[in-house]
């Protein structure tokens, strides 16, 4: 008897924030850290895809056969404060981390409140907003090394994290849990920051349609100056551009949304059109921020 739940030929619609209705032959849902590691070992002969909140990712196929195994971590989400640091399991949502830190009167994590992901994915892409990134606050990361079949603890060096990237991407590991710096704060001030950040993002970002967050990383021009994707898109008339049910958001063109029942092909076509128009007009190469599965 296994200590995790297995589904076959399951729809992944509820497990991705773009709400693309693709099917996976094997979907596994562990309910503890021990069962998570057991699943990683048991399905090690397959291409394992870890899904947390399902944000910041794009499916590229309509069907993932038995050579794939999707492991859903939304039940692996314990969070604790031991008096020195916050300890988060891989499936802990950043939203919950921010509110937990507020409840404990801990500062500087309010920025995470409206980032729609989990700590596991956030560590791989060094998620953040404004001047803050999760990598600034990491004490250690516990991982499962699938080549050595062992659990290890990583203490990040200064260059471990960079813009939307961490060295975890170059390592044969899966994130299990991590320790986050506990910085003393004032409850009312942290609460005020959380609400301020949430309001800022609600005002500017599309909330009426399914989306997976910002689509492209901020590019640079030939002189190394940062560019704004939404300004590039407005110049080449991409705001509101639509193929099928995939559309460049009219509210914020840095987002591509699913207005109803977009397909994988719809999303890919809109992305390609965006990349092509910006390349032709500005000679700028856009790079996806989304993880393509």
């Amino acid at each position: 008897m296994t200590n995790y739940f297995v589904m076959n030929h399951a729809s992944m619609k509820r497990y991705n924030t773009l709400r693309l209705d693709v099917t996976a032959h094997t979907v596994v849902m562990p309910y503890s850290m021990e069962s998570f590691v057991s699943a990683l070992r048991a399905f090690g002969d397959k291409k394992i895809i870890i899904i947390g909140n399902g944000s910041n990712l794009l499916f590229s196929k309509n069907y993932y056969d038995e050579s794939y195994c999707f492991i859903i971590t939304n039940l692996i989400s314990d969070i604790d404060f031991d008096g020195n640091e916050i300890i988060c399991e891989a499936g802990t949502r950043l939203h919950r981390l921010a509110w937990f830190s507020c409840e404990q009167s801990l500062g500087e994590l309010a920025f995470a409140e409206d980032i729609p992901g989990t700590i596991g994915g956030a560590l791989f892409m060094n998620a953040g907003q404004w001047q803050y990134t999760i990598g600034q606050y990491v004490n250690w990361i516990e991982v499962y090394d699938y080549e050595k079949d062992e659990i290890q603890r990583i203490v990040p060096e200064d260059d471990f994290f960079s813009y939307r990237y961490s060295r975890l991407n170059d390592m044969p590991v899966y994130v299990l849990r991590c320790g986050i710096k506990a910085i003393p704060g004032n409850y009312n001030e942290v609460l005020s920051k959380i609400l301020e950040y949430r309001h800022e993002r609600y005002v500017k970002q599309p909330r009426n349609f399914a989306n997976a967050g910002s689509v492209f990383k901020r590019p640079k021009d030939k002189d190394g100056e940062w560019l704004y994707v939404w300004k590039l898109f407005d110049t080449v008339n991409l705001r509101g551009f639509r193929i099928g049910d995939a559309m460049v958001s009219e509210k914020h063109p840095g987002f591509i949304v699913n207005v109803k029942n977009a397909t994988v092909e719809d999303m890919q076509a809109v992305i390609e059109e965006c990349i092509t128009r910006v390349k032709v007009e500005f000679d700028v190469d856009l790079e996806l921020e989304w993880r393509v599965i």
Side-chain angles (χ1 to χ4, degrees), residues 117-141:
T118 58
I119 195 70
L123 292 172
F124 271 91
M125 68 166 292
N126 195 21
Q129 59 181 327
W130 299 296
Q131 72 268 37
Y132 305 105
T133 63
I134 197 66
Q136 297 170 245
Y137 302 98
V138 176
N139 285 334
W140 52 265
I141 308 168

